[in-house]
Amino acid sequence: MEIIILPDADEVGRVAAAAIAHRVRRTPETVLGLATGSSPLGIYRQLADWVKQGSLDLRHTRAFALDEYVGIAADHPQSYASVIRREVVEPLSLDPDRVHVPDGRSSDIEAACAAYEDQIQRAGGIDLQILGIGANGHIGFNEPISSFASRTRIKTLTPKTRADNARFFSQPDHVPTHCVTQGLGTIADAKQLVLVAQGEHKADAIAAAVEGPLSSMCPGSLLQLHRHAIVVIDELAANGLRLSDYYRYTYANKPDWQRFE
Ligand code: F6R
């Protein structure tokens, strides 16, 4: 695992975006996994800037969203289908036909989840999965004690996650109780993981994911099992890390051939 500690949230967005752009420039047909929420917004803004400047072309990428709420209309402004269209597809000029979001409205959720897994397989799997992390350590909406082997399925959001996401809704009780999410096993199959976190409120989750025991109590600790995981965080989110000096030293001495920016 590579841990990159940066001075502020803007740098987090820029450096994580550079890792993504590096891969897409080499392989324009890259299959991306997309997180929603606040954490990746800086990445999407930076990628959009490069697209506008003409130094990056994402039209040939395919993308699969990590998750979707169950029980809200696709055109609800906070459905992840709407968020992905507004924050990612339009500003990054992705081809909407190549961007997929799990179906949280199907009358047969299990079949819809299996179909989503099939779509990912048929696309050749996810090359680079963008991740945020919840304050309780969830990735995607895999709440604590999610199986490391889990695939796309329905989950019950914890009251803490619903409270954290209430800021996106006009009333707290409008936050759905359920979601469909790629499983931890689905996420683990991605060839590369790029997790971003900003702010003191993420420090405990980052410490548990990076340095804590491998445990389904912190789903983010899955990254410890992955062969190519990058964690890009600001100083505040790094506050709980015991080996932060070593991570800074490693990044400062990173060989040129390994650099992506
Ligand atoms: C959403 C997702 C979640 C969020 C996490 C952090 O697609 O994958 O795991 O990344 O809840 O949310 P923010 O970034 O809003 O703090």
Side-chain angles (χ1 to χ4, degrees), residues 114-181:
Y116 198 63
E117 287 279 333
D118 274 359
Q119 258 184 323
I120 294 174
Q121 287 298 320
R122 276 187 274 115
I126 292 170
D127 294 309
L128 187 154
Q129 176 65 60
I130 301 167
L131 295 168
I133 189 166
N136 65 2
H138 71 226
I139 55 174
F141 273 142
N142 294 282
E143 298 284 31
I145 75 145
S146 289
S147 163
F148 284 127
S150 51
R151 312 302 305 188
T152 303
R153 70 214 182 289
I154 190 166
K155 286 293 288 181
T156 308
L157 296 170
T158 62
K160 166 77 177 139
T161 300
R162 290 187 72 223
D164 286 348
N165 285 8
R167 68 191 192 282
F168 296 115
F169 290 81
S170 52
Q171 287 185 42
D173 63 349
H174 288 182
V175 184
T177 51
H178 291 82
C179 63
V180 167
T181 180

Side-chain angles (χ1 to χ4, degrees), residues 35-39 66-67 80 132-134 138-141 167-168 202:
T36 45
S38 311
S39 307
L66 265 176
D67 37 25
Y80 283 169
I133 189 166
H138 71 226
I139 55 174
F141 273 142
R167 68 191 192 282
F168 296 115
K202 296 293 175 74

